[in-house]
Amino acid sequence: MGWKPFINVDVANTAFIAGQSVYDALRSVAEQERSRMDPSRANTFQNYDLEKALKLLKSCYVEYTTSPGRKMGGRITDILPIPPRGHSFTQDNNRETNVQDYFLQQYNRRLEHPDGICLQIRGKSIVPAELCTIKKGQSMNGKLNENQTAAMIRVTAVAPMERLDQIRKNVAMININADAVNKEFGVSVNNELHKMQARVLAPPTLVYGSATQQGAQKWLIPPRDGVWNMFERNELAFITPASRIPPVIQTGEPNIRWGIMALQDRYINDGGVFNFVKRMHELARSAGLNLDEPDNVMNNYEVIGGNRDVENALRKLLSNGCLMALCVVARKDVSLYSTIKVTSEIIMNQGEKRILTQVVQWKNVDKRQDATIQNILFKVNMKLGGTNYMLHAQSPWERIDILRTPVLIIGADVTHPGIESKYPSLACVTGSLDRTGMPFQMFIQAQRRAERGAAEVITGLDQIVVAFIKVFVNRTRHKPRKILYFRDGVGDGQFGEVLNTEMMAIRNGCNIIENQGIYNGAKEDAKLGDVRGGPGYQPKITFVAVQKRHKVRIFPDDSRDGVGKGGNAPPGTVVDRDIVKAYSIDFYLLSHTGIQGTSKPTRYQVLWDDSNFSADELETLTYYLCYMYTRCTRSVSYPAPTYYAHLGATRAKDYTLHLSDDILADIDRVNEKINRDAIFKGRFPMHFI
């Protein structure tokens, strides 16, 4: 970092698996998942239960006693829903026996639960689970579930000043300067934290529409500490409500027709749903979004028993003219959510009609909190093709020449499955649709995993860029003069490979546009010059790597300078000296207000810049992009294009959950299954938020 070395010290936390019997561990899983599986009865395990159990226990080291004083152990490789007395095998003496009789004859161990499950240990030994205990001190390598994550956050999310105190205590405890080896090499470390100069960038001004004067775009909102609230003033409305644009107005209806699809559950009731719909209707009206009357909505109410009923219910709502279905589920259910999205966005793609879905858990319907309903409306308006707000053209943003110059903003991300996962890598690229930079389109694809240590480059990026430019030209009548490319998920050691491959692909896409003569009636502008840009189409490209996986934390020198409940450094805090590279544009930006714990800045490394932006311009540009995430009214921790790319990759994962193993083994077939038709993507480009 910079011209002198630093030691990065931080507090790290991880989850450990409790040292307990395997039976107790599985019973805890059953309770958390509301499952009926019982480890003492193998026939209660469904495929879903086995997946959950194996997720916790696979590769766990367990111990068991075969005879007094003799302990054995090994790592779990599989869970077998076969009872010990039903699992037969042939011994070395060619005699047939089963696991129950073997343990009785060989070790004089009589099983209490002969109908329980068995474990496969070390890939070959079959052991009754009732005999096994999880060894203490093993870290949890898998992903935590929702409850575990919440518990982990409660323990580890500490305020900045408290975290700073923990770091200082740990540095004093380590006492690096007392180490004999360090002394021998003449190495000494200053135990004081490094103080450096930082700047706080001013936020952009946001533009909302008027709830009283249709078409007026005059309400300017200055965010404070990265947060604003459009509903605190009655005169504010979405700058472009979806109810005022095609394809909504083409239906001939004054309001957006929508319906309800609710899971049949003892907790979900019509009265609670109606009250939620009524309040949602009121808040939508105040934002300028004309949703159908609550009574009409309740007339389009479909009850489903589970995944198998989703398609029929959505088709009924679609046949009744509904553009959107509010899907009320009992609790978070990954499988049901996946089924709903695949059905509405991929399977139901015949004809001109389409239906969007918005999933909401019953607990949120029952509470009926305005903040929750408002966040749902932010998503609904964008999904249906509206625009919630814009950046003000007279802000410093114009100084960077973005609003005056047609600019295509691209975000990209690749998600990687676990080492032993059967799923492929999933790439998502998002591109802005017009010169406001607010609505985005999304391209997703499955691709083969890179070899260990290699970069996961996005294949076929040139064709993706071609598609994005075509849409941009059709919407704006101008070709992009600049392309801003924000690439997430790249480590320092992979910069060269990703830059060379993906930069070449972006340029190749521009060459394809030039060679095909794709101008689509694009205008010449005296201020901008010919859209062809001279002898060839060569827009200026800026390539920025976005990194969240680092250990750098920023603390205000004076706690009184902190903002929010925790006292974090204010949004807009940027550090571009001392701890950054001295030979390139490299900076840390804290762009959001932390809700709890110590906020983590995002690191940005500019790998290429044809526009020759100054560091200040790029920092301001990046910060403003963090205010363009339309699912909420607060700035987020990294730019909206990459945030949307992450959402898109997550949606691609939802599309693959129900695919069979033989399809998942064939990348081309996976891409066929997750492809959304052109009509749907063109009509509702932001369906994925």
Side-chain angles (χ1 to χ4, degrees), residues 490-512:
V490 182
D492 285 31
Q494 301 169 335
F495 283 166
E497 183 180 356
V498 171
L499 175 63
N500 291 336
T501 305
E502 296 184 4
M503 174 66 83
M504 184 71 70
I506 295 172
R507 285 177 171 168
N508 188 45
C510 296
N511 289 334
I512 293 172

Side-chain angles (χ1 to χ4, degrees), residues 384-395:
L384 289 169
T387 302
N388 295 352
Y389 60 90
M390 290 170 47
L391 297 187
H392 186 219
Q394 299 304 315
S395 67

Side-chain angles (χ1 to χ4, degrees), residues 93-110:
N93 59 9
N94 291 325
R95 291 184 59 183
E96 190 82 10
T97 187
N98 59 49
V99 173
Q100 178 188 13
D101 293 342
Y102 178 82
F103 272 81
L104 179 62
Q105 295 164 7
Q106 191 77 12
Y107 304 117
N108 196 29
R109 293 295 305 267
R110 188 177 298 276

Side-chain angles (χ1 to χ4, degrees), residues 602-617:
T602 299
R603 182 194 177 203
Y604 299 90
Q605 174 73 52
V606 182
L607 304 183
W608 192 270
D609 182 25
D610 290 327
S611 292
N612 294 319
F613 286 124
S614 68
D616 183 54
E617 288 173 332

